[in-house]
């Protein structure tokens, strides 16, 4: 994703121009949000592109801090994965957004992936960006999951403790 306009005010105006009330239609489609209970008592939001699950291959996008299912490039990525034939979803990692913000585990968020992967049916493809990528790397390094067919890591710190 390469922003077409650079600068805070310009970016705000660009996002506002995509809002349904300004354009006269529903430009941004709603997510089908599924909340799951994690083994430590916390909650996690899985934002599915479609409520109708239709295939056995699932692509899960884990964005970085400050990004979530409503971030422009995340929506574009999940929509593209859906168009490519995956059941696509964005997982809101605890420290970023939603009902888990108060239960932030920061560098240990990768441990939530085990519960998420247990909840999702099918062959799984993971896409992690920044902290989401670090979570994917940590999970795959610590645990073996036969259902994860592939992972793509984008701009993730390999040594998260050093990067913070």
């Amino acid at each position: 994703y390469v922003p077409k306009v650079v600068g805070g005010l310009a970016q705000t105006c660009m996002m506002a121009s995509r809002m349904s009330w300004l354009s006269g239609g529903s430009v941004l489609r709603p997510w089908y949000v599924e909340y799951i209970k994690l083994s430590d008592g916390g909650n996690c939001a899985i934002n599915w592109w479609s409520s109708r699950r239709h295939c056995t291959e699932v692509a899960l996008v884990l964005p970085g801090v400050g990004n979530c299912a409503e971030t422009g490039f995340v929506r574009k990525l999940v929509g593209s994965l859906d168009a490519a034939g995956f059941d696509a979803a964005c997982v809101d990692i605890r420290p970023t957004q939603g009902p888990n913000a108060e239960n932030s585990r920061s560098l240990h968020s990768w441990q939530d992936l085990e519960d998420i992967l247990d909840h999702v049916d099918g062959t799984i493809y993971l896409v992690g960006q920044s902290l989401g990528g670090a979570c994917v790397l940590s999970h795959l390094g610590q645990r073996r999951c036969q259902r994860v067919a592939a992972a793509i890591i984008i701009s993730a710190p390999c040594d998260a403790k050093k990067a913070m």
Side-chain angles (χ1 to χ4, degrees):
Y1 170 75
V2 178
K4 295 182 176 156
V5 182
V6 179
L9 178 59
Q11 285 295 92
T12 302
C13 292
M14 185 176 82
M15 283 304 295
S17 70
R18 296 174 63 197
M19 292 182 182
S20 59
W21 57 268
L22 202 57
S23 64
S26 62
V27 175
L28 299 179
R29 66 192 311 269
W31 295 95
Y32 171 73
V33 182
E34 181 178 16
Y35 292 98
I36 63 169
K37 191 68 133 174
L38 301 170
S39 58
D40 68 354
N43 295 307
C44 179
I46 302 177
N47 304 277
W48 295 96
W49 189 255
S50 172
S51 62
R52 181 178 48 90
R53 310 275 251 302
H54 56 282
C55 71
T56 58
E57 295 187 319
V58 178
L60 295 178
V61 176
L62 290 89
V65 173
N67 297 307
C68 66
E70 295 304 322
T71 305
F73 78 89
V74 174
R75 288 179 85 62
K76 179 90 169 149
L77 176 58
V78 174
S80 296
L81 290 167
D82 180 75
F86 292 96
D87 282 335
C90 173
V91 177
D92 285 337
I93 303 172
R94 286 190 202 216
T96 57
Q97 301 283 336
N100 301 316
E102 72 279 357
N103 295 339
S104 175
R105 294 195 314 185
S106 188
L107 296 179
H108 300 287
S109 296
W110 65 270
Q111 294 172 350
D112 293 344
L113 262 180
E114 190 165 350
D115 292 332
I116 294 163
L117 296 178
D118 286 343
H119 180 76
V120 175
D121 294 329
T123 303
I124 299 169
Y125 298 83
L126 298 173
V127 180
Q129 180 262 334
S130 192
L131 178 63
C135 288
V136 170
L137 282 174
S138 294
H139 180 79
L140 294 177
Q142 299 287 330
R143 306 243 175 14
R144 291 222 180 250
C145 183
Q146 301 298 327
R147 293 180 33 236
V148 176
I152 297 173
I153 310 303
I154 304 164
S155 189
C158 290
D159 188 344
K161 287 183 181 177
K162 212 181 264 186
M164 294 185 114

